[in-house]
Amino acid sequence: MLSAEGEVRTAQLNLGYTTIRSPLTGVSSFAKLQEGSYVTPGAAGLLTYVSQVDPIYINFSLSENEMLKFRGEIATGQLRFPPHNNFEVEVVLADGSQVPDRGRLDFADFAFSEETGTFLIRAEVANPKGLLRPGQFVRAHLNGAVRPDALLVPQRAVLQGSKSQYVWVIGDGGKPEQRIVEMGDWHGDDWFVTRGLRAGERIVVDGAIRVTPEASLRIVDTRPAAGETSQPQRQKAAEAWSDQKERLKAGPSGGGQAP
């Protein structure tokens, strides 16, 4: 009797080997082997690929130059990362639309790649509706870093000289003064100023390329009136960085001619 039960259990065990279960829940690819094929352990016996889709992992990299730049800005107080690098990851698809679910960083490789000079970072994002697919190319925006007391100016206000970048600062009597500035990263349509400007100074935004030294300017304050709302991107930047800049329009004075 015991011998027969042992044979039954052995048969059930052998039968169980014919069913191969995936160690994770996901979506499988096409079959590598067809029915009736002899399956062996190892790469030759690969049946298919199974990709986990919820949550899904997004891989991207950071270059050595970028890492050194961020370290320098953190050391000088120009940049502050969130505690424990707890960034919020925003995923943008190829058509510019945003994935509603936000993710978090869950892995960062310690070593740089010898081939690319970058190191790998991975984010985990919830994907209950299957909007993201394995192998898809997306953009990952990391939110959470702060630039204390930063200054933002519109990109069109910054001009490129022969040796450096500069802006026109409105001095006493409405006279323009050329000021060399050092620029940082872009933020939407604006540009961070790391050196050369002080809070409260007024600069020429529109028509800056037509300005000449000692020219008389007609200054128009284009800030939104009370009760009006500005562009979402500019309002978001102002709230995030406490920027007090004035957007000015430069043009010829009432009695002069355009340079």
Side-chain angles (χ1 to χ4, degrees):
M1 184 66 179
L2 293 177
S3 176
E5 291 180 358
E7 292 179 358
V8 171
R9 292 181 179 180
T10 300
Q12 291 175 343
L13 181 61
N14 292 333
L15 181 62
Y17 291 147
T18 63
T19 301
I20 301 177
R21 300 183 181 276
S22 171
L24 54 86
T25 301
V27 179
S28 63
S29 180
F30 60 89
K32 297 289 185 178
L33 298 176
Q34 303 302 321
E35 295 181 0
S37 301
Y38 183 71
V39 180
T40 57
L46 178 63
L47 299 179
T48 187
Y49 292 97
V50 178
S51 300
Q52 179 177 305
V53 294
D54 186 26
I56 197 169
Y57 297 105
I58 298 177
N59 297 323
F60 55 98
S61 59
L62 188 68
S63 69
E64 183 177 4
N65 290 337
E66 290 174 325
M67 174 58 70
L68 295 176
K69 174 187 174 183
F70 292 150
R71 285 180 178 177
E73 292 179 344
I74 292 175
T76 57
Q78 298 179 7
L79 180 65
R80 186 169 64 242
F81 278 5
H84 310 293
N85 292 334
N86 190 23
F87 288 94
E88 182 184 63
V89 181
E90 179 183 277
V91 181
V92 180
L93 302 178
D95 61 355
S97 61
Q98 296 182 359
V99 176
D101 295 290
R102 304 295 178 91
R104 296 288 179 183
L105 299 183
D106 75 328
F107 172 77
D109 198 352
F110 180 77
F112 280 92
S113 170
E114 297 180 357
E115 298 178 355
T116 62
T118 62
F119 75 94
L120 178 68
I121 303 176
R122 189 179 72 180
E124 180 180 322
V125 182
N127 190 34
K129 297 182 180 180
L131 296 178
L132 300 173
R133 293 176 175 268
Q136 187 176 5
F137 287 93
V138 298
R139 292 182 180 273
H141 295 169
L142 273 61
N143 301 325
V146 177
R147 293 186 179 275
D149 301 324
L151 292 176
L152 281 170
V153 298
Q155 293 179 21
R156 64 182 186 275
V158 182
L159 303 177
Q160 180 65 51
S162 59
K163 296 183 179 180
S164 61
Q165 295 166 320
Y166 66 93
V167 297
W168 289 105
V169 178
I170 307 300
D172 297 335
K175 298 295 184 179
E177 173 192 348
Q178 189 178 102
R179 181 80 58 81
I180 296 177
V181 291
E182 183 177 322
M183 310 307 297
D185 297 328
W186 287 6
H187 183 76
D189 294 332
D190 297 328
W191 213 339
F192 284 106
V193 182
T194 59
R195 186 178 302 173
L197 282 179
R198 297 185 299 271
E201 290 186 311
R202 301 184 300 173
I203 64 172
V204 176
V205 175
D206 295 320
I209 195 173
R210 297 184 289 117
V211 176
T212 58
E214 301 300 326
S216 298
L217 301 178
R218 177 171 53 88
I219 302 174
V220 179
D221 191 345
T222 60
R223 289 177 296 179
E228 298 181 0
T229 58
S230 60
Q231 299 179 0
Q233 184 68 25
R234 188 167 302 281
Q235 184 179 17
K236 179 180 178 182
E239 293 174 354
W241 310 110
S242 302
D243 184 24
Q244 299 179 355
K245 64 179 182 296
E246 294 185 5
R247 302 186 60 196
L248 306 176
K249 183 175 181 181
S253 60
Q257 297 180 350

